[in-house]
Amino acid sequence: ALQRDDAKASEAGLKYFVLGALSSGLLLYGASLVYGFSGAIRFDAIAAAVQGEAGTGVLFGLVFMICGLAFKVSAAPFHMWTPDVYEGAPTPVVAFFAGAPKLAAMLLFARVLAEAFPLAADQWRQVLILIALASVAVGALAGLAQTNLKRLWAYSSIANVGYAVLGLAAGTAQGVQAMLVFMALYSVSVIGFFACLAALSRNGRPLETLEDMAGLFQQRPWLSLALTIFALSGLGLPPFAGFWGKYYVFMAAVNAGDPVLLWSAVAALVGSVIAAFYYLRLVKVMWFDPAPGETDRPPVEAGAIAIGAAAFTFPVVLGLMPLIDRYAAAAAAALGLG
């Protein structure tokens, strides 16, 4: 809500505050139930108290905690704040929202489940699968109707969180590592995309709709190429980074040995195909539609961030592929998740 004279910004700030307080309430209520029925607040102590199948009270508390964390990562059906907040907030703030808090919250998600409730995986896996599939469905289908790029990428982020949660639902070390790889690659791509939006304007007005992006390739070819890479990466087209992130997540779900997870991965793949429409529509508008006017000269800093992120998303990540498994395993072990 930094732009106090903007009605959309004020609305975005209010919604984020109110719904954020609600999610914190759910998280704290769940934590209090877990403490009440386990008598512990440390993850290792909770794991020791919850031996075998978790009791009903602990499970209720865990479900509330999962719901609170799902708000933080904007996973469906707790995603309602995301499109309005993304649309109303300043573009640099949205870039931060879409990257850093989601990565931090997914790490907390993994630690709570893997450290405090490792023996209750059969119970929490069912909840995570539902959240993952709902997120992919909402992100893919609702995104088809969007014309504002911030709202479009909000639904894209909801779908991408669904893929990350699906990896976490595997309940294995491979699933945690797949989630870490996916979120790392996703964070670079989403920050680069919003850096492109921050760099683009026409007559002092930001370019925020699909119509604004028409003919951009003829005027700003490097930024258009960066946006194309981010769109194709979000689509999951090889050899872009988004493909490798989804590949790791789907393989973790398949290798978990649970038929439900296998079919969930198939359903998520179908959702990815549906979402391809709005990514390819953006590429088509930039490359083939006539431009409505000349764009302003982009700021050097934003353009450099965008092009650097695009370079990592396409060629650089290919050179890192042999090391990704090692780095992901080391990161998971450092977090106590390996």
Side-chain angles (χ1 to χ4, degrees):
L2 290 171
Q3 300 168 340
R4 291 182 295 174
D5 296 331
D6 188 333
K8 282 188 176 181
S10 299
E11 178 187 356
L14 184 61
K15 285 185 176 180
Y16 187 73
F17 174 76
V18 172
L19 294 176
L22 174 62
S23 69
S24 296
L26 290 175
L27 185 63
L28 290 171
Y29 182 61
S32 68
L33 285 176
V34 171
Y35 169 68
F37 283 96
S38 68
I41 57 174
R42 290 180 56 86
F43 288 172
D44 53 355
I46 294 172
V50 183
Q51 296 291 340
E53 187 171 340
T56 304
V58 173
L59 283 179
F60 265 100
L62 178 57
V63 169
F64 274 106
M65 291 181 68
I66 289 175
C67 292
L69 291 170
F71 263 105
K72 304 297 185 186
V73 298
S74 65
F78 310 101
H79 65 283
M80 65 287 295
W81 61 270
T82 314
D84 292 334
V85 170
Y86 277 35
E87 183 180 6
T91 302
V93 176
V94 180
F96 176 78
F97 271 0
K102 277 189 171 59
L103 178 59
M106 284 304 303
L107 291 177
L108 177 59
F109 222 144
R111 291 196 61 209
V112 168
L113 297 177
E115 292 187 35
F117 301 96
L119 299 179
D122 289 339
Q123 285 80 35
W124 53 253
R125 178 182 291 120
Q126 304 170 37
V127 181
L128 292 194
I129 289 175
L130 290 175
I131 289 176
L133 293 181
S135 299
V136 172
V138 169
L141 297 175
L144 297 176
Q146 304 306 314
T147 56
N148 182 284
L149 290 175
K150 287 183 178 180
R151 293 184 71 89
L152 177 65
W153 235 253
Y155 284 106
S156 171
S157 73
I158 293 167
N160 278 289
V161 164
Y163 300 123
V165 172
L166 183 63
L168 202 56
T172 61
Q174 183 186 5
V176 173
Q177 293 171 24
M179 182 274 291
L180 291 173
V181 171
F182 183 90
M183 290 304 299
L185 298 178
Y186 165 76
S187 297
V188 173
S189 297
V190 77
I191 290 172
F193 175 82
F194 284 109
C196 286
L197 287 193
L200 292 171
S201 62
R202 182 178 291 118
N203 299 324
R205 185 182 65 84
L207 304 188
E208 293 187 350
T209 67
L210 280 172
E211 291 76 11
D212 291 338
M213 310 303 287
L216 188 65
F217 180 73
Q218 286 74 33
Q219 299 176 0
R220 298 287 177 254
W222 287 108
L223 285 175
S224 298
L225 187 59
L227 278 169
T228 301
I229 290 174
F230 296 136
L232 297 180
S233 179
L235 163 61
L237 191 71
F240 300 98
F243 167 79
W244 298 108
K246 291 180 180 179
Y247 170 80
Y248 273 83
V249 166
F250 289 151
M251 288 305 298
V254 170
N255 293 336
D258 187 336
V260 177
L261 271 172
L262 173 61
W263 286 107
S264 299
V266 173
L269 183 60
V270 172
S272 182
V273 173
I274 294 173
F277 173 80
Y278 55 74
Y279 294 115
L280 295 177
R281 181 174 59 176
L282 173 60
V283 175
K284 175 259 182 188
V285 168
M286 287 191 301
W287 286 65
F288 301 112
D289 287 9
E294 185 67 27
T295 58
D296 302 334
R297 182 174 295 277
V300 175
E301 297 84 356
I305 292 172
I307 293 171
F312 178 86
T313 302
F314 180 33
V316 176
V317 73
L318 293 179
L320 295 177
M321 285 306 300
L323 303 175
I324 281 183
D325 284 328
R326 185 189 307 172
Y327 289 155
L335 294 166
L337 304 173

